[in-house]
Amino acid sequence: MPKLYLTLVLLCLLKVFAFAQSDSTRLTTIAAKLQKQSATRPAEKAYLQFNKPAYSAGDTIWFKGYVVVGAAHQPSALSGVLYVDLIDGANKIIKSLQLKNNNGIATGDFPLDERMKPGDYRIRAYTTWMRNAPEYFFNTTIAVGDIQTNAVIVNPVYSIVNTNGTEYVNTKLAYTDKFGHPYNNREVTYEVLADTNLLYRGKGTTDAMGNLSFSFPGKTAPGQHVTVNSHFKIAGGVTVSKITPINVANDNIDIQFFPEGGQLINDVRSKVGFKAIGTNGLGADVKGVVIDNENNEVAYFSSQHAGMGVFAFTPQSGKTYTAKVTLADDLVVSEKLPVSADKGFVLAINNTDSTKLTIRVATNAATLQEKQNAAFYLIGQSGGVVYFTSAGKLDNASFNINVPKNRFPSGIAQFTLFSATNEPLNERVAFIQNNTGLIDLNLSSQKTTYAVKEKVDLSLLAKDNSGKPVLGNFSLTVFNDDITPVNENNENTILSNILLTSDLKGYIESPNYYFNKVSDKTKADLDILMLTQGYRRFEWKEILADNYAAITFKPERSLSVSGTLTASNGKPVAKGKVSAFSAVNKFAVDTTSNEQGKFNLTGLNFTDTARLVIQARKENGDKQVTIALDSKPAATVYKNTSGLENGFIPPVLSAESPKADTVQIATAIRSTAFKFNKTNDLKEVTVKQQRNNYGTENAPWMPKASPHSANLNGVGHADMIFGSKELEHCVDFVSCVINMLPGVIRGPRGYTFAVTASKSLTAPPGIKFMLDGVFTSIDNLSSLNALDVESVEVLKFNNYLNVYGTSASGGLIIITTRNGTVDINQPNILEAAPGILKTTLKGFDKTKEFYVPKYTVNNTAPFDMRDAIYWNPNIATDDKGKTTLEYFNSDVKGSYRAVIEGIDNDGNIGRFVYRYKVE
C-alpha cells in the first residue's frame, strides 16, 4: 500500500492565520480519500523496450517488458501475467503472447514472416488488472518494411485551397531513400483515388530535391479515404509503387484553447494555452490575434512547438473574444474563446525556477466581496500520493505560494484548489523534472572507433542521485544507426512513457523531445503541454463522493482456470472439491467452489500448452457434477491512436544533399525479386507495395503453405508441405500426418526421422510439433480436426532446423489452422463426463535467445550483414553498480547506437545512449 505523505504547511505571503482544527480535518479527509483510491485501485503501467526502432519482413522483434505499479513506479508483483499483442493496420490481432511477469520484468519476441505485408503495425501490452482502465495499456506503432518499400520513402505535404468556388488539394510528394537522400530527376506516374473511385491521374518528373508537385480537385463524399498511388521508376527498369494517404477533410485545422486553471475570470489576467492539429493529425504551426466583440485586438499568439503555444490577456465583463488564426498557407480561420465568468478563481503556476514552483491564486473584486474570509485549501499530489497541502483565508485578491520541487518525484504533479465545502474549484498540472526517482546510467568503452567484427567491451555504471551504486535490472540494445536511423525526439522511452505519456490523455507528439536534450525551451514547451493535455488519473468529485470506479477484472497473479459446478438439476454446487493436474507438465492444484458454484484454480506455471484433467466432486463425494469452464473475454482492440513514434522522418534537405544511389538500390531490388520469383529473365521488375503471392505462379515454392504460418524460415520454406486438400481425408490427424511422412520411426522419445536416428549414437531427439506458433506436445493434437488445418510444414534437415537451435534438433512439424492463431479465450474441451473434464490450456510463451556470434582474429566467417548487433534483456549490476558486456560488431560499417534502460527495486528508472564508430 502506498505510504501517505501529508505535509500540513501554511504558506501565505499576505495575511497569515493559524490552522484551525477544522482545516486540518478537511485536508486530512481529502488526502485520506485519495489514499483509499490509490490503495484499492493502484495504477499499473507497462512499458516495452525494443531492440531497434524499425523492422523488415523476416526480422524478429525483440523486447523487454517493465510492469510497474503505484506512485513510486515499483516493479509490480500485483500481476503475474503480461499480454503482448501484435496488431495490423486493420486493428486485427495477428499474434498474441502470454508472458510471465517476474517481479515487474517480462521478455518476449515476435518473429516476422519474410512475406509479411509492409506497413505500420501496433504492439500493445497490458495486464488483466489494467483492463479496468484500458487507457493505461502500452501502445506503440512499429514500421515493418522490406527492401522494396524501404527503398523509397514518400513524405507528403499538402494544403487545401478554394479557387473560384472549387476546392483543390495542392500536393507535394518528396521522394527519398531511407537516409533522406532525394531521388532527383525520376519519372513518376500517379493516380489519385477516393476509395476505389479515380479522381485524377497524371505523370511528372521529380526536381533536384526529389519533389513532385501537382493539384487535384478535392471534393469527396463523406467518409471517403483519398490516396495517391504513385509508380516511381528508380533505374534499370525497376519501378516501385507507393500508396500515400491524403487527408482532404473540409476543416483544415482543429484548434482548441485551454485557460490556465480551467476557466477565464473577468478582470483577472490569465494565461491561455492552445493546440492546433493539422489534417495529418500532428501539430500545425499557426499564429494569430485575439479580438473582442468590438474588434479590439487584445493579444497576439504563435505556436512554439507541435502546434502548441500560450498567450495572456485580461478578459472584461460583457465582452466575448474570438481568435483569428492564420494557417501556414495564410488561410485565416476564426475560433471562439471560452466564455469568461463573472466570479471565480484563477490557479496559475510558474515553473521556470529549477528549485521551486510559484503558485498564484487570484480572483476579482466581485468574488472577494462575496466570499470574504472564506477558507480555501490547496493540495498537490503525484501518482495518487499527497506531497503538499496548504490552507488559507480569502482576504486578498491575489497571493503566491512557493513549493519546493524536491518534495515531489519526477513526473506529473497535480495541484487542486478546494473551497471550504471540499468542492474542487481549479486544477493545474505541472511537470517536475528533477533527479528524484531517476538512475544515473553511464556506458563506456575503451575506444570510440572499432573495426568490423571486432569485439566490443562495454562497461555499465549505475548510480542514484546521491552518487551511491544501484542494484538494478537493465536491458541493452545495440544497432547500426546508419541502417536503422531513428528520430530521437519521436522515440518512446522508459522515461517519456512512465513519467509522461502514460498519465496524459490522447496522443503525445514527439514524447522524447522533452527528455532528449533538456533546455529552457523544452521545459517551456513541456509546461505548455501540461496546459493543453488532459490528466487521466481521476476526477476529484468522484473520489470525494466515494464514487470509485467499479473493478471488473481482478489482478491475475498466475495462470488460472475458472468455471462453474452444477448438479444434475442445474443448481450450483457449493463447497465442491475441484482439482486439476497435468501428468506431462507435472503439476496439480485444487480449490473449493463458492456458494454460486464458481471456482478458480490458480498457481499454474508452465510453458507451451498443457493437457489438463479437471475433476470435481460434491462435498459428500458425489461425482454427478457438470464442469463448465469460463471463457476469457479478449481485450477490445481500439483504433490505433499511438502514432508512428519510432517511424523514420527524413531530415530537412538542402540542394547540396547527396542524391540517392539509384543503381545500387535497383540492383538490390532485382536481387530480391530473383530470390522470391525464381526467374532468370528480369527485364523489368515492378514492385508494388501491396502484393500477395501466396499460392500463385510467382511463388511456386510455397503453393500450399498458409500465409499465417509461424515458420521462422519464412512461409513455405520447408522440406515438405501438406495443404488442406491433402488433409481433408484425415480422421485421426496425428496418425494421418505421420503416415504421410517418409522415413519416420517410433523411438524412445516419440516419433523420429530415420535420417536423424542414423546419425545419433544415443537416443535420437524426437520430432517436435508447433500449433499456430506455439510448441505443443503430440498429446495435445489428438482432438485436432483436420478440417480446421490450413497447412502442415515439415522441417527435416538442418538447413531449415538451424534457426530453432536445440528446440527442434530432431525435426519440426508446423501446423497452421485456418484462423491462424490459437484462440486462448475459449476453452478447448477434449472430453467431458460427469465429474471429469479434459482440456488444453495455453501456458506462458517461451522467449528465444538472441544470437550473438563470436569471431576470432583470423576468422573466415561469411559476410555479416546484421543491423541488430546485440540484445540483452537480462542485465544486473553488482553491489558497486557495475557490470561489463561483450559482443562482436558486424561487417557493416557505420555509427552504432547502444541504448540501456532499466529499473531498480524502488522504482527508480534510467536511460542512457552511447555511440561509437565502426570503420
Side-chain angles (χ1 to χ4, degrees):
M1 178 180 297
K3 185 177 179 181
L4 177 64
Y5 296 92
L6 281 181
T7 308
L8 304 182
V9 179
L10 176 62
L11 292 170
C12 188
L13 300 183
L14 299 176
K15 292 190 178 181
V16 180
F17 76 100
F19 267 112
Q21 182 66 35
S22 60
D23 297 316
S24 178
T25 301
R26 288 186 186 278
L27 287 168
T28 304
T29 299
I30 295 172
K33 287 182 177 291
L34 180 58
Q35 182 193 28
K36 180 180 177 182
Q37 159 79 9
S38 301
T40 60
R41 291 158 177 80
E44 200 172 40
K45 302 178 182 180
Y47 164 74
L48 303 185
Q49 181 188 5
F50 298 92
N51 71 309
K52 58 179 185 174
Y55 297 86
S56 295
D59 281 349
T60 296
I61 299 175
W62 303 89
F63 62 87
K64 178 176 181 177
Y66 294 90
V67 184
V68 299
V69 66
H73 308 130
Q74 291 177 302
S76 178
L78 182 65
S79 297
V81 185
L82 178 68
Y83 298 92
V84 184
D85 298 329
L86 178 62
I87 304 171
D88 65 14
N91 295 315
K92 177 184 176 183
I93 297 176
I94 59 176
K95 186 71 175 177
S96 186
L97 299 178
Q98 192 169 259
L99 304 175
K100 186 173 183 179
N101 175 31
N102 288 301
N103 193 32
I105 301 299
T107 60
D109 59 88
F110 284 117
L112 302 180
D113 190 278
E114 203 169 29
R115 288 281 185 168
M116 192 172 190
K117 180 180 174 181
D120 296 342
Y121 290 79
R122 178 166 37 131
I123 294 180
R124 72 172 183 180
Y126 61 95
T127 65
T128 296
W129 176 252
M130 290 169 62
R131 292 179 65 176
N132 293 297
E135 63 270 19
Y136 281 109
F137 283 20
F138 172 86
N139 278 278
T140 193
T141 301
I142 294 290
V144 176
D146 55 19
I147 190 170
Q148 297 95 339
T149 56
N150 288 341
V152 180
I153 305 296
V154 183
N155 194 27
V157 177
Y158 52 90
S159 60
I160 303 172
V161 297
N162 195 299
T163 304
N164 297 326
T166 301
E167 190 177 86
Y168 288 89
V169 180
N170 292 336
T171 305
K172 181 173 71 175
L173 303 180
Y175 294 87
T176 69
D177 66 14
K178 71 175 185 176
F179 302 111
H181 302 147
Y183 285 109
N184 64 308
N185 198 31
R186 298 291 101 190
E187 183 181 334
V188 183
T189 59
Y190 58 88
E191 304 92 32
V192 181
L193 301 176
D195 291 337
T196 58
N197 299 322
L198 179 66
L199 294 180
Y200 186 77
R201 64 159 38 108
K203 63 180 179 180
T205 302
T206 59
D207 62 19
M209 299 304 299
N211 296 325
L212 177 71
S213 300
F214 57 91
S215 296
F216 64 89
K219 188 65 176 178
T220 60
Q224 282 190 314
H225 300 281
V226 177
T227 57
V228 178
N229 296 0
S230 57
H231 315 288
F232 184 86
K233 290 188 176 181
I234 297 182
V238 175
T239 299
V240 172
S241 294
K242 302 290 289 189
I243 300 174
T244 307
I246 302 291
N247 190 334
V248 294
N250 291 327
D251 295 327
N252 285 272
I253 199 167
D254 174 65
I255 185 166
Q256 293 180 288
F257 296 90
F258 305 90
E260 185 174 26
Q263 60 181 342
L264 293 171
I265 304 299
N266 289 328
D267 302 322
V268 180
R269 186 168 178 80
S270 302
K271 286 189 292 187
V272 178
F274 66 87
K275 186 170 188 177
I277 303 297
T279 52
N280 59 358
L282 301 177
D285 287 333
V286 297
K287 60 183 179 180
V289 60
V290 177
I291 60 174
D292 63 18
N293 52 323
E294 297 176 354
N295 219 33
N296 298 310
E297 296 181 351
V298 298
Y300 299 92
F301 60 88
S302 62
S303 54
Q304 294 179 210
H305 170 70
M308 298 180 294
V310 64
F311 61 90
F313 80 112
T314 304
Q316 301 295 322
S317 178
K319 291 189 176 183
T320 58
Y321 299 91
T322 302
K324 297 290 186 180
V325 185
T326 303
L327 310 184
D329 56 3
D330 292 329
L331 180 67
V332 178
V333 298
S334 298
E335 189 72 33
K336 293 283 188 182
L337 263 62
V339 177
S340 56
D342 290 328
K343 297 176 183 179
F345 296 88
V346 170
L347 178 62
I349 292 181
N350 185 323
N351 196 9
T352 57
D353 193 297
S354 61
T355 62
K356 68 178 184 296
L357 297 171
T358 299
I359 301 177
R360 172 176 170 262
V361 179
T363 189
N364 56 17
T367 307
L368 182 62
Q369 182 177 358
E370 181 182 287
K371 298 183 180 296
Q372 187 78 31
N373 293 321
F376 63 86
Y377 308 97
L378 183 66
I379 286 186
Q381 67 85 25
S382 179
V385 174
V386 174
Y387 293 93
F388 173 82
T389 66
S390 179
K393 283 184 179 179
L394 184 61
D395 51 14
N396 200 298
S398 176
F399 63 92
N400 293 339
I401 301 174
N402 290 326
V403 181
K405 288 184 177 180
N406 59 13
R407 288 189 181 182
F408 290 83
S410 297
I412 296 175
Q414 179 196 43
F415 292 87
T416 306
L417 183 68
F418 290 90
S419 71
T421 59
N422 287 0
E423 178 188 4
L425 301 174
N426 301 81
E427 287 186 352
R428 169 73 149 91
V429 293
F431 194 88
I432 307 296
Q433 205 160 18
N434 55 31
N435 293 327
T436 306
L438 301 183
I439 303 174
D440 181 15
L441 295 176
N442 184 69
L443 283 173
S444 60
S445 60
Q446 294 180 345
K447 51 186 180 179
T448 57
T449 302
Y450 288 83
V452 297
K453 285 183 177 173
E454 185 176 356
K455 181 182 176 183
V456 178
D457 292 290
L458 286 183
S459 297
L460 171 64
L461 175 62
K463 300 181 295 182
D464 63 17
N465 56 13
S466 65
K468 296 180 180 179
V470 168
L471 286 166
N473 192 300
F474 304 94
S475 44
L476 172 68
T477 180
V478 182
F479 59 90
N480 191 326
D481 203 17
D482 287 347
I483 296 179
T484 314
V486 60
N487 185 318
E488 291 189 323
N489 288 340
N490 283 4
E491 285 186 289
N492 195 346
T493 73
I494 194 170
L495 300 179
S496 66
N497 182 270
I498 290 181
L499 300 181
L500 181 67
T501 58
S502 60
D503 280 329
L504 294 177
K505 294 179 180 178
Y507 170 64
I508 309 301
E509 184 178 344
S510 302
N512 198 41
Y513 164 77
Y514 307 104
F515 300 88
N516 183 24
K517 297 176 181 178
V518 178
S519 64
D520 289 342
K521 175 169 171 45
T522 63
K523 291 179 180 179
D525 293 339
L526 181 53
D527 195 55
I528 296 174
L529 179 69
M530 297 296 99
L531 282 173
T532 59
Q533 208 78 27
Y535 184 63
R536 69 161 47 138
R537 277 281 183 174
F538 56 82
E539 295 291 340
W540 270 113
K541 290 184 178 180
E542 282 73 15
I543 299 297
L544 296 175
D546 290 327
N547 185 18
Y548 301 104
I551 297 177
T552 304
F553 300 95
K554 295 182 179 180
E556 185 181 23
R557 302 189 186 278
S558 66
L559 297 179
S560 61
V561 178
S562 62
T564 306
L565 303 183
T566 55
S568 55
N569 59 5
K571 293 183 179 181
V573 175
K575 300 181 181 180
K577 299 177 182 179
V578 188
S579 63
F581 68 90
S582 172
V584 175
N585 297 86
K586 298 179 181 178
F587 68 80
V589 292
D590 60 76
T591 189
T592 303
S593 62
N594 64 14
E595 294 299 321
Q596 290 76 41
K598 300 286 186 180
F599 68 88
N600 189 25
L601 293 159
T602 61
L604 304 180
N605 183 11
F606 60 92
T607 57
D608 297 332
T609 301
R611 186 167 182 167
L612 296 182
V613 178
I614 301 176
Q615 294 181 334
R617 298 289 186 270
K618 295 181 180 178
E619 189 178 14
N620 61 7
D622 184 358
K623 67 177 184 179
Q624 294 303 312
V625 176
T626 299
I627 307 170
L629 298 184
D630 295 333
S631 61
K632 185 185 294 183
T636 303
V637 179
Y638 298 97
K639 183 179 178 181
N640 186 12
T641 59
S642 63
L644 189 56
E645 292 91 348
N646 295 326
F648 171 70
I649 298 178
V652 178
L653 303 175
S654 66
E656 292 74 31
S657 297
K659 309 305 178 185
D661 190 338
T662 55
V663 174
Q664 181 182 2
I665 293 171
T667 301
I669 293 177
R670 290 170 65 86
S671 174
T672 304
F674 179 87
K675 172 185 175 183
F676 287 142
N677 294 326
K678 297 283 187 176
T679 175
N680 296 319
D681 185 13
L682 292 178
K683 295 181 179 178
E684 180 170 346
V685 179
T686 299
V687 182
K688 297 183 178 180
Q689 188 170 358
Q690 296 182 345
R691 182 180 69 181
N692 188 350
N693 285 334
Y694 299 113
T696 70
E697 66 277 7
N698 291 324
W701 46 269
M702 54 172 200
K704 304 164 188 173
S706 167
H708 305 296
S709 168
N711 190 343
L712 296 184
N713 299 284
V715 175
H717 288 275
D719 295 300
M720 295 183 68
I721 303 174
F722 302 122
S724 56
K725 290 187 179 296
E726 288 87 350
L727 300 170
E728 62 185 9
H729 68 281
C730 294
V731 178
D732 184 329
F733 174 78
V734 174
S735 298
C736 183
V737 171
I738 294 297
N739 290 332
M740 293 167 68
L741 298 177
V744 174
I745 59 176
R746 191 176 185 97
R749 297 186 180 179
Y751 292 104
T752 305
F753 285 117
V755 64
T756 305
S758 65
K759 297 178 182 179
S760 178
L761 298 178
T762 59
I767 299 172
K768 299 294 185 180
F769 294 85
M770 177 179 286
L771 177 63
D772 290 328
V774 179
F775 279 102
T776 188
S777 69
I778 191 171
D779 293 335
N780 291 331
L781 300 173
S782 60
S783 64
L784 186 61
N785 189 335
L787 297 178
D788 294 331
V789 176
E790 188 169 6
S791 69
V792 174
E793 295 163 273
V794 182
L795 312 186
K796 187 175 181 179
F797 298 104
N798 286 341
N799 58 324
Y800 289 136
L801 291 173
N802 283 342
V803 69
Y804 292 95
T806 58
S807 300
S809 58
L812 179 63
I813 295 178
I814 301 172
I815 304 161
T816 306
T817 63
R818 295 185 185 276
N819 291 328
T821 182
V822 175
D823 186 359
I824 64 172
N825 302 308
Q826 299 295 331
N828 180 26
I829 307 301
L830 304 179
E831 181 181 339
I836 191 169
L837 184 146
K838 296 180 181 180
T839 185
T840 57
L841 182 67
K842 184 178 184 296
F844 292 115
D845 289 281
K846 289 193 294 188
T847 303
K848 297 183 302 178
E849 184 176 350
F850 185 87
Y851 172 67
V852 181
K854 293 184 178 180
Y855 297 120
T856 60
V857 175
N858 299 315
N859 78 83
T860 58
F863 191 82
D864 183 351
M865 296 185 63
R866 290 175 300 132
D867 62 339
I869 308 301
Y870 184 66
W871 169 247
N872 188 341
N874 299 304
I875 300 171
T877 48
D878 59 20
D879 56 0
K880 296 180 180 179
K882 297 180 179 181
T883 192
T884 56
L885 306 148
E886 63 178 43
Y887 57 88
F888 290 82
N889 297 320
S890 71
D891 276 310
V892 183
K893 299 176 182 179
S895 175
Y896 282 34
R897 187 174 191 250
V899 182
I900 186 93
E901 294 186 338
I903 193 170
D904 67 13
N905 285 334
D906 295 324
N908 301 308
I909 57 178
R911 183 177 194 265
F912 186 80
V913 178
Y914 179 73
R915 287 182 172 86
Y916 63 91
K917 291 284 188 180
V918 174
E919 296 178 350

